[in-house]
Amino acid sequence: MFPTRQAARRLALQSSRRWSHSVAPSPRLNPVTEKDLAYFSSILQPSSILSTLSPSKLPASELDPYNTDWIGRYKGTSTTVLRPRTTQEVSEIVKYCNEKRIGVVPQGGNTGLVGGSVPTGSGEVVVNLGNMSNVRHFDAVSGILVADAGCVLQSLTDYIAPQNHIMPVDLGAKGSCQIGGNVATNAGGLRLMRYGSLHGTVLGLEVVLPDGTILDLLSTLRKDNTGYDLKQLFIGAEGTLGIITGVSILTPPAPQASNNVILALPSFECVLPLFKTAKRQLSEIMSAFEYIDRTAYDLAVKHGQGRALNDEDVEGAACFVLIETSGGKREHDEEKLNELLETLMTADKPIINTGVMSQTPAQFASMWALREGVTEAVSKEGKAYKYDISVPLSSFKDVVDVTRERLREKGLLGPKAVKHVIGYGHVGDGNLHLNVVADAYTPEIEAALEPFVYELVAKYKGSISAEHGVGVMKTHALHYSKSNTAIEMMKRIKQVFDPNGIMNPGKVLP
Amino acid sequence: MFPTRQAARRLALQSSRRWSHSVAPSPRLNPVTEKDLAYFSSILQPSSILSTLSPSKLPASELDPYNTDWIGRYKGTSTTVLRPRTTQEVSEIVKYCNEKRIGVVPQGGNTGLVGGSVPTGSGEVVVNLGNMSNVRHFDAVSGILVADAGCVLQSLTDYIAPQNHIMPVDLGAKGSCQIGGNVATNAGGLRLMRYGSLHGTVLGLEVVLPDGTILDLLSTLRKDNTGYDLKQLFIGAEGTLGIITGVSILTPPAPQASNNVILALPSFECVLPLFKTAKRQLSEIMSAFEYIDRTAYDLAVKHGQGRALNDEDVEGAACFVLIETSGGKREHDEEKLNELLETLMTADKPIINTGVMSQTPAQFASMWALREGVTEAVSKEGKAYKYDISVPLSSFKDVVDVTRERLREKGLLGPKAVKHVIGYGHVGDGNLHLNVVADAYTPEIEAALEPFVYELVAKYKGSISAEHGVGVMKTHALHYSKSNTAIEMMKRIKQVFDPNGIMNPGKVLP
Ligand SMILES: Cc1cc2nc3c(=O)[nH]c(=O)nc-3n(C[C@H](O)[C@H](O)[C@H](O)COP(=O)(O)OP(=O)(O)OC[C@H]3O[C@@H](n4cnc5c(N)ncnc54)[C@H](O)[C@@H]3O)c2cc1C
Ligand SMILES: Cc1cc2nc3c(=O)[nH]c(=O)nc-3n(C[C@H](O)[C@H](O)[C@H](O)COP(=O)(O)OP(=O)(O)OC[C@H]3O[C@@H](n4cnc5c(N)ncnc54)[C@H](O)[C@@H]3O)c2cc1C
């Protein structure tokens, strides 16, 4: 169901060469010196400091994991990584850096996909939260969890599982990413449709501001209307407004049962009525509604990613939908799913050709494998240009068709150029993965796609980054999704929190 | 289920005299003059202007509804009310007021309970959104609704009902309050437990900033990680950062069935295990979990607010819980509720004494009537000091007991002073209504309660205003729920958006 770390790294590497603007080091910031290191040594335990400077003199390779991002595209040259153990230590580090005008890069699990978690070359100090990994409190009655920002997502999942709760966020990187990083990137993931975004489930944050002040907003209240909801600013700010050191989050009760079904549809036009009908009949138990177009499905099957339907069932199918339910009682959920299938099959104008419901955990997993395997299949088929965008549900197919047409016009469609243009993604969240699968990366294809795709997204008032954020990778494209007024207001807010621009320089804002 | 407007007004009036600090008019602002009115006449239709100034010369009484707040406690003296019809008009009004340093009070349905929606006496112009009441777009597939801020909540509910969707927010004032006002106050209400807060369900906003700039954040995307989520700042800002003119909101599919049950508990200690068990067994279908202590229940019964249980069932009950479910299929929900009741009755140490499940819509309504009737009963019993607070679930009873003890110590408990101290509220949201029912309002009782209750709330790291906001009523008490650092950051953000302080002066920030 989830790609492994290796697979994800490889896939991402393949698509990484498309991004080529460079980041100018900020002139106002100073690099870390030996004198600074001496100061850090006076406030931190020796094991909390990694540096190539004297007296530590570690080989640069030891800092590589902190300087290099997950996709291997961005590589910083920081000399010093600090791994504080307490909020107080974070505060003292940041206060000092602010006084000395040293850039600070907050780093969680370093699994971000837009180069936000590594230094840009201004001699920043990396503040890695990995040593702050204690659960502070869990209330099994309310489901409210308070944890250090450095807790790994998987470890929190494991911590609350015996109490029958689950984290409201789940994603492929859960074995490495931290809850602080999830909040800083406003991570979406597999449960967003059901449990909503972190803007709704995060109840409170503890943040060290760029001047070292500790801002305690670590509320455990579901309701609190006393002034501006400041914590919201840090959710998705990608570490540019402060370092998150603690998180309070509402965790839902674990569902008692999960089911899924794969449906073959006669045309794209059936997706939306299907979504509507499923929402009505499955209501609160529908936890995923995933779209796969025919080409994506065929690629997944071709490359051995599962084969959920028989040949005759697939015949005439324009696209596929995977629906998952997570409810309080298996029999009830199955009954609802069966009733849904009946409604669909017996409609005057049938909405589906056929459907298969998983009967065993193995089948459940293999249906997900098909959907999740599209990524793997794409990488086996060729070199992929990948776009993670939000557009209105009704335009999913248009976006794919128009992009394909564009490439055809430019004479770039064919076995030696672009082989496939496919679309798949989370219909429930309006999140489309647009993949252009080519024989090789070429400047022509890149020029045909960008800024074309961004402009297309902008035309639909969509988002150029549905989940992954801006980081250093998309600052130049921010204006396709945000107005000048909005960007100007963001800059002013940045100025309020971080007048010296020390916090994650070069990220998010152009 | 919902108190009528009249009832609510009466109840609120009775408790209004407790608040007595005064608001100093802001020295930097200018009152509206005839010259200003002439300008407004040049940009607005005549019917959009109400003024006591020449040449309009309306009697002041015609402006009373706009100058007086719902609870009748706060009364402004504004000479001019503007009722623009378009975002552009709002923009021109605000731009002008900013240049001329005229205060602006954004006003929706004027149902706010903390005096936020009426002028404080700085000669502000009231900008009432009532004329901006068009639905701009509804997508029945995604459930995303885009509407003018001035749409009345009930009218939006009615608009989407035929499409089988409901608004994620619902409250007693729905016949008058506007969606813009709901967003500006981050209204909670009856559906918060199920659908989460507006911070999660509001997808986008259109806002006129205090300098007249139109900030278009009217996204219809569920996922968009491109920079700071600015719209969040306006949710709950009570009109102090700008005027909301458009709202994009995710509406859930209407549940197919609703059930409820009233349970009598042997002790308060059973509430939390009950909540935990109910959350596990009812999972996604539980939509309300309301707590009523014994005194509150007895008052409701005494004053004829319903009588859900037999005398023998009530005997020995320390408190009561009302559980509501809203699910996709009635039989399934009933089965789950029945199984829950069985678990509870057959537990080694029984968690409930008894329980009654509604069998008909009339019974369903009458069970809610009992819970909702507590407010009415309290007002019939005496004069009520009412606190709408958030505290940890486990301390609901403590807060009530400690407050009662405090009054006893002060010699204020008895038939001629404080008759009852009761607690009831939304366990699911951690929202407790603490009511002190007295024979009459007296300075002694008030002095015994304030700041005592606020300090008590602060001790539990709770919220002094769970839902209703700060307005002008609680600015002086904000520090009980927010640190100085947080208040300082709020002030800086206010400064960024509204350097001249024209937007809703005297509200929210101390
Ligand atoms: C295999 C894989 C699958 C993924 N799947 C998804 C997915 O489904 N949905 C999705 O949304 N994303 C996904 N991602 C990307 C996602 O952004 C990250 O995995 C995760 O949320 C980042 O957490 P992290 O701790 O690794 O943060 P990092 O990568 O360390 O940092 C990410 C950003 O947050 C900042 N940051 C980190 N910690 C803090 C802190 N404590 N305080 C302030 N700022 C901080 C950094 O400066 C950086 O800008 C995936 C990534 C991988 C590798
Ligand atoms: C009977 C009754 C029941 C209630 N029940 C609940 C409840 O269950 N939960 C709950 O949370 N609240 C409840 N409330 C209070 C709640 O705050 C309001 O009912 C509602 O949310 C306010 O909407 P409104 O349009 O009347 O706003 P108003 O009262 O007009 O304004 C409220 C505040 O918002 C600002 N404002 C209004 N419109 C805009 C706009 N377009 N742009 C910017 N600022 C604006 C005003 O300046 C003011 O500060 C109740 C009130 C009543 C009378």
Side-chain angles (χ1 to χ4, degrees), chain A residues 238-311:
Chain A
E238 302 180 43
T240 59
L241 298 178
I243 302 188
I244 298 166
T245 49
V247 175
S248 162
I249 189 166
L250 185 68
T251 71
Q256 307 289 300
S258 290
N259 294 292
N260 64 9
V261 59
I262 284 198
L263 308 171
L265 280 65
S267 74
F268 176 79
E269 283 62 43
C270 293
V271 175
L272 303 197
L274 170 59
F275 185 53
K276 236 176 115 170
T277 311
K279 278 216 303 187
R280 192 170 59 241
Q281 290 193 218
L282 300 176
S283 186
E284 70 286 347
I285 64 168
M286 184 157 80
S287 53
F289 189 106
E290 297 286 314
Y291 166 74
I292 314 167
D293 73 14
R294 178 64 190 254
T295 323
Y297 179 92
D298 288 344
L299 277 183
V301 172
K302 171 176 170 190
H303 293 285
Q305 299 300 317
R307 184 156 160 285
L309 299 174
N310 297 328
D311 281 350

Side-chain angles (χ1 to χ4, degrees), chain B residues 8 70 105-113 116-117 129 149 171-173 177-178 180-182 184-185 187-189 238-239 242-244 467-468 504:
Chain B
W70 181 283
V105 180
Q107 188 175 72
N110 199 8
T111 69
L113 298 176
S117 48
L129 277 286
L171 41 90
C177 67
Q178 300 173 1
N182 299 148
T185 57
E238 302 180 44
I243 302 188
I244 299 166
E467 308 196 302
H468 297 158
N504 219 357

Side-chain angles (χ1 to χ4, degrees), chain A residues 223 225, chain B residues 3-5 7-9 12 70-71 104-118 127-129 149-151 169-174 176-190 207 234 237-247 388 426 431 466-469 471 503-504 507-508:
Chain A
K223 279 181 177 171
N225 277 343
Chain B
T4 61
R5 186 177 166 116
R9 188 185 285 279
W70 181 283
I71 61 175
V104 175
V105 180
Q107 188 175 72
N110 199 8
T111 69
L113 298 176
V114 288
S117 48
V118 292
V127 177
N128 182 292
L129 277 286
C151 289
V169 62
D170 185 20
L171 41 90
K174 64 181 158 188
S176 309
C177 67
Q178 300 173 1
I179 188 69
N182 299 148
V183 173
T185 57
N186 185 29
L190 303 168
V207 182
F234 302 97
E238 302 180 44
T240 60
L241 298 178
I243 302 188
I244 299 166
T245 49
V247 175
D388 165 43
H426 323 287
N431 187 178
E467 308 196 302
H468 297 158
M503 202 50 78
N504 219 357
K507 312 294 166 60
V508 181

Side-chain angles (χ1 to χ4, degrees), chain B residues 24-31 97-103 122-123 491 494-495 498-507 509-510:
Chain B
S26 168
R28 295 160 303 158
L29 298 177
N30 302 313
C97 289
N98 191 43
E99 280 159 12
K100 301 289 177 193
R101 305 289 190 271
I102 298 169
S122 319
K491 286 184 174 169
K494 168 79 175 173
Q495 181 69 20
D498 187 19
N500 300 320
I502 63 156
M503 202 50 78
N504 219 357
K507 312 294 166 60
L509 294 174

Side-chain angles (χ1 to χ4, degrees), chain A residues 262-509:
Chain A
I262 284 198
L263 308 171
L265 280 65
S267 74
F268 176 79
E269 283 62 43
C270 293
V271 175
L272 303 197
L274 170 59
F275 185 53
K276 236 176 115 170
T277 311
K279 278 216 303 187
R280 192 170 59 241
Q281 290 193 218
L282 300 176
S283 186
E284 70 286 347
I285 64 168
M286 184 157 80
S287 53
F289 189 106
E290 297 286 314
Y291 166 74
I292 314 167
D293 73 14
R294 178 64 190 254
T295 323
Y297 179 92
D298 288 344
L299 277 183
V301 172
K302 171 176 170 190
H303 293 285
Q305 299 300 317
R307 184 156 160 285
L309 299 174
N310 297 328
D311 281 350
E312 61 268 33
D313 289 334
V314 173
E315 218 186 286
C319 57
F320 302 84
V321 163
L322 171 76
I323 297 178
E324 185 194 65
T325 61
S326 313
K329 207 175 158 83
R330 176 167 309 280
E331 307 88 80
H332 288 172
D333 298 0
E334 280 175 6
E335 199 180 317
K336 283 178 187 132
L337 265 175
N338 275 320
E339 283 176 10
L340 172 66
L341 290 181
E342 212 169 296
T343 310
L344 297 172
M345 302 287 281
T346 58
D348 282 351
K349 202 165 157 274
I351 294 178
I352 60 169
N353 288 349
T354 184
V356 174
M357 200 193 301
S358 63
Q359 302 297 334
T360 63
Q363 283 180 2
F364 177 87
S366 114
M367 288 202 188
W368 266 114
L370 186 93
R371 158 64 185 84
E372 295 279 321
V374 174
T375 327
E376 184 80 22
V378 160
S379 76
K380 288 184 177 166
E381 181 74 8
K383 309 293 181 195
Y385 295 83
K386 288 162 172 283
Y387 300 92
D388 165 42
I389 58 180
S390 279
V391 285
L393 313 184
S394 54
S395 63
F396 272 30
K397 182 162 179 289
D398 276 359
V399 166
V400 176
D401 289 350
V402 167
T403 305
R404 189 186 295 110
E405 214 33 59
R406 159 86 173 182
L407 292 161
R408 193 194 311 278
E409 273 168 23
K410 298 271 170 192
L412 292 169
L413 215 57
K416 289 278 138 232
V418 171
K419 301 203 268 184
H420 312 285
V421 181
I422 67 169
Y424 61 101
H426 322 288
V427 171
D429 312 336
N431 187 178
L432 175 69
H433 299 294
L434 167 67
N435 281 204
V436 175
V437 192
D439 186 50
Y441 293 122
T442 70
E444 292 74 31
I445 300 176
E446 185 164 336
L449 288 173
E450 285 176 35
F452 178 80
V453 172
Y454 291 145
E455 285 167 359
L456 191 59
V457 171
K459 205 190 86 188
Y460 285 111
K461 295 194 107 195
S463 172
I464 58 152
S465 185
E467 311 197 298
H468 297 157
V470 178
V472 70
M473 190 186 263
K474 295 183 183 171
T475 49
H476 69 292
L478 189 59
H479 66 279
Y480 288 108
S481 285
K482 288 290 150 72
S483 68
N484 287 340
T485 309
I487 294 174
E488 175 58 29
M489 291 317 298
M490 289 181 201
K491 287 184 174 169
R492 289 202 218 161
I493 283 172
K494 167 80 174 171
Q495 181 69 21
V496 163
F497 283 88
D498 186 18
N500 300 320
I502 64 156
M503 201 51 77
N504 219 0
K507 312 294 167 58
V508 181
L509 294 174

